Amino acid sequence: MQISALWANIFAINKADQSLEKLKNILVKKDNSISPYSFFKELQESSPTVFNKIVRRNDLFDIEESLSNWKREYSSYVDKCFELSILLSSINSAEAKYYLEKGVTEGILRHGWHKDIIVSYYLIEGLEIIWNRNWLTIVDKRNITEQVFNLAIKVSMITDGDETWRSPYRVIKVVSQHDLSFAENLRQELERNHEIRKSNSLAITPILIGKIDHGYLIYDIKEEMKKYRIEYDYEGVPRREIFEEKFIIYLKLAESELYSESDRKLAFDEAYELINDSQRMGVKYAFKDEDLKEEKQRYEKLCAKYDKTFNLKYSTTQDYKERRTPVISEQEFVNEVKKSISKNAIFGKYRKLKNYKNGIILKEYDSWKVLIDKTYEVYENISLFTDYLESCYYPDSDFMTANSSYLYKALAAALDNINTRQEILSYLYENSGHGGFINIMKAFELLEDKNTCLSIYKRAIKFCELIVY
């Protein structure tokens, strides 16, 4: 790039004539070390007069062609559209305008560069619903999965990777629970792709779990485990991934009723020694609560079963939701709602629900149904409920409050009531947000509404294709 800029400045201080144009044609070739884009950009900035006299429209074709085969992050694609527009501004004003508008348009509705999880979490979560339900043939499921898998790969390529680089592995994990041969095909496809960040462990573990669930021979499982590759940090200390992934497999084997007691005991012993090895080697950040708390709890029970000292530790800080004791239980709150017969009484119940100090968590569909039905009975509308959803940023977000992860059940209850259905639909039309489709899909799944559920998901795929490709 520095050489290109140097040559551009040499051109800029010379007289624009036929000989200079011939020299340009010699220099700006694919087999030379001159970057055409950098050369033309620097020349236009240094001497617009020289640029206008010696640069022709066909000189920019290669730059234009690179846009049709773009494989880098999308933000730089948008930048390139604007830069090409500038180069064309003195050559062809109509084409310059085209690329200016293209840059604006492409930049408005695109997948986010950093921590956009619409594909890597929401779309894959919807795929899990598709596989869990017997709504489609295996061929249709595989076709939809290919669409999502390709989107996941593309997203991992066009973003900074934060929250997205694991996307293809999440797809494999979903499929491994239902279709092992297809999951293996996806894993091999991923291995052949040399343009994305790889994780040997993340591709192997879900397939092995699927094989354990199907009762594959212990010998076959252990042979597959040999595919795990150990990686080291800059200090030469093994990284934690291989220890955690192997631990998950040994734990699964030790708990499975498909294997003999002796095989299960042997798997537990392997897990126990694996943990000791990780501690002896000084592996950093291994077996953290935020990653493996449930697995650690299951492992602790096995330690008690086999009379072994629990050789892992839990974090000293307890999860906020876990340490809170509800002031009002779910059933107590539901009973209070049932007794409410005035507007002030119902309004007060929503105030109680919003007050996090009360610790009220409604986990059951029937609890939400009582609240919504009673709200409509007293108010003849459910505006209090939709106001509550809006305060929780729902359905776009399902983590803002302790109740957020259960609000799809509330949606289902409102959708299932003929008196409240239109009002909740009107709310959803205006407030679905970036990733709200997955929570709406969960609500219709709960209602066993196959057609609406599939329609939502197929539209979500089309939208994701629009913002990714």
Side-chain angles (χ1 to χ4, degrees):
M1 189 175 291
Q2 290 179 341
I3 295 175
S4 303
L6 176 62
W7 272 109
N9 281 284
I10 292 172
F11 271 62
I13 61 176
N14 280 274
K15 183 180 179 182
D17 55 23
Q18 195 171 16
S19 62
L20 197 64
E21 186 172 353
K22 287 180 180 179
L23 181 58
K24 174 211 70 177
N25 293 335
I26 294 171
L27 283 173
V28 185
K29 292 182 177 179
K30 288 183 179 179
D31 54 350
N32 285 342
S33 57
I34 301 293
S35 163
Y37 166 71
S38 300
F39 174 81
F40 292 136
K41 181 174 182 290
E42 185 69 26
L43 180 60
Q44 188 184 49
E45 291 176 355
S46 302
S47 178
T49 301
V50 173
F51 176 89
N52 293 338
K53 288 186 176 181
I54 71 169
V55 177
R56 304 289 177 254
R57 177 65 182 88
N58 63 314
D59 290 327
L60 305 179
F61 284 161
D62 286 343
I63 300 173
E64 191 173 19
E65 180 66 22
S66 70
L67 290 175
S68 63
N69 300 304
W70 199 260
K71 294 182 178 179
R72 293 164 55 198
E73 64 276 2
Y74 212 85
S75 58
S76 59
Y77 173 87
V78 173
D79 291 341
K80 189 68 74 177
C81 287
F82 289 135
E83 290 159 356
L84 183 57
S85 174
I86 294 172
L87 293 176
L88 286 166
S89 61
S90 58
I91 298 173
N92 188 313
S93 59
E95 289 185 301
K97 181 183 178 184
Y98 168 79
Y99 279 104
L100 174 63
E101 291 175 345
K102 186 176 181 63
V104 172
T105 303
E106 297 286 352
I108 290 173
L109 189 62
R110 298 304 305 173
H111 189 283
W113 158 249
H114 177 67
K115 284 195 172 183
D116 188 340
I117 60 174
I118 190 168
V119 171
S120 54
Y121 283 91
Y122 299 148
L123 198 64
I124 296 172
E125 193 174 352
L127 183 66
E128 191 168 9
I129 293 174
I130 298 299
W131 276 98
N132 286 340
R133 292 288 184 162
N134 292 318
W135 291 337
L136 299 173
T137 66
I138 190 68
V139 173
D140 288 337
K141 287 180 181 180
R142 286 182 174 185
N143 288 338
I144 287 176
T145 301
E146 282 284 1
Q147 287 181 275
V148 177
F149 189 64
N150 291 334
L151 279 165
I153 290 175
K154 185 66 175 179
V155 160
S156 70
M157 294 167 60
I158 65 170
T159 64
D160 66 350
D162 198 355
E163 301 288 355
T164 59
W165 78 269
R166 294 173 183 255
S167 304
Y169 300 98
R170 292 192 183 100
V171 175
I172 293 174
K173 183 176 181 180
V174 169
V175 177
S176 296
Q177 300 169 38
H178 306 274
D179 189 343
L180 280 173
S181 62
F182 186 52
E184 182 62 35
N185 290 342
L186 295 178
R187 186 189 71 79
Q188 292 173 7
E189 186 178 334
L190 206 56
E191 283 296 307
R192 291 191 295 268
N193 191 311
H194 301 294
E195 300 183 62
I196 63 172
R197 181 177 172 183
K198 298 282 190 2
S199 171
N200 167 265
S201 300
L202 290 176
I204 294 172
T205 300
I207 294 175
L208 281 177
I209 289 175
K211 289 184 175 182
I212 293 170
D213 287 337
H214 285 80
Y216 276 55
L217 295 175
I218 291 284
Y219 173 82
D220 293 337
I221 300 295
K222 291 195 172 182
E223 283 298 303
E224 284 288 311
M225 290 181 75
K226 291 178 181 178
K227 293 180 180 178
Y228 284 122
R229 293 193 294 268
I230 192 166
E231 297 177 353
Y232 298 88
D233 64 16
Y234 69 97
E235 295 177 324
V237 177
R239 296 187 184 276
R240 65 188 176 95
E241 284 80 8
I242 189 171
F243 294 92
E244 293 180 344
E245 299 302 318
K246 282 188 172 183
F247 169 74
I248 290 170
I249 297 304
Y250 286 134
L251 179 62
K252 183 75 174 177
L253 282 169
E255 294 177 319
S256 176
E257 296 291 339
L258 297 176
Y259 298 93
S260 67
E261 177 56 36
S262 60
D263 284 339
R264 289 153 61 187
K265 172 64 165 60
L266 184 60
F268 167 78
D269 291 338
E270 296 272 17
Y272 199 86
E273 285 307 308
L274 183 76
I275 292 168
N276 287 341
D277 288 344
S278 72
Q279 294 168 349
R280 186 170 56 255
M281 295 178 189
V283 177
K284 300 173 184 175
Y285 314 117
F287 308 105
K288 296 189 296 183
D289 283 5
E290 52 262 48
D291 299 320
L292 296 168
K293 185 166 187 179
E294 181 191 346
E295 287 82 358
K296 287 164 72 173
Q297 291 169 338
R298 288 156 48 200
Y299 173 70
E300 186 175 18
K301 291 179 181 178
L302 289 176
C303 286
K305 174 182 175 180
Y306 294 116
D307 197 26
K308 298 282 284 187
T309 302
F310 181 57
N311 56 349
L312 287 174
K313 294 180 180 178
Y314 292 108
S315 171
T316 53
T317 58
Q318 198 176 13
D319 183 79
Y320 173 76
K321 292 179 184 177
E322 291 182 5
R323 69 173 182 259
R324 282 199 59 79
T325 301
V327 176
I328 305 171
S329 71
E330 180 171 5
Q331 191 56 55
E332 288 171 339
F333 180 76
V334 170
N335 290 339
E336 288 185 13
V337 172
K338 288 179 178 178
K339 296 175 184 177
S340 301
I341 58 174
S342 68
K343 290 184 177 181
N344 283 340
I346 292 297
F347 182 80
K349 298 304 172 289
Y350 280 93
R351 288 188 62 181
K352 275 189 177 182
L353 186 62
K354 288 181 180 180
N355 189 341
Y356 73 93
K357 293 180 180 179
N358 291 325
I360 302 170
I361 302 178
L362 304 184
K363 298 181 179 180
E364 303 300 327
Y365 169 86
D366 288 341
S367 300
W368 289 108
K369 179 174 172 54
V370 168
L371 178 62
I372 292 164
D373 289 353
K374 180 61 77 168
T375 303
Y376 182 81
E377 177 187 320
V378 174
Y379 273 84
E380 296 184 343
N381 63 59
I382 54 169
S383 60
L384 282 178
F385 173 65
T386 55
D387 288 346
Y388 175 71
L389 291 182
E390 191 168 5
S391 72
C392 297
Y393 299 94
Y394 197 83
D396 184 44
S397 164
D398 63 358
F399 55 83
M400 290 298 294
T401 72
N403 275 305
S404 292
S405 59
Y406 304 105
L407 284 175
Y408 74 94
K409 297 180 180 181
L411 274 188
L415 288 165
D416 199 37
N417 185 330
I418 192 171
N419 294 314
T420 59
R421 183 181 179 87
Q422 189 54 54
E423 189 173 352
I424 194 63
L425 284 173
S426 297
Y427 170 82
L428 292 175
Y429 292 150
E430 297 293 330
N431 297 279
S432 289
H434 185 56
F437 75 89
I438 184 59
N439 291 314
I440 300 172
M441 189 176 172
K442 286 180 184 178
F444 281 105
E445 183 204 13
L446 190 62
L447 296 174
E448 301 284 343
D449 190 336
K450 165 189 168 181
N451 292 333
T452 304
C453 210
L454 289 174
S455 176
I456 290 170
Y457 193 63
K458 289 176 181 178
R459 288 189 180 192
I461 290 177
K462 288 182 179 179
F463 175 74
C464 289
E465 288 175 338
L466 171 67
I467 64 173
V468 169
Y469 294 125

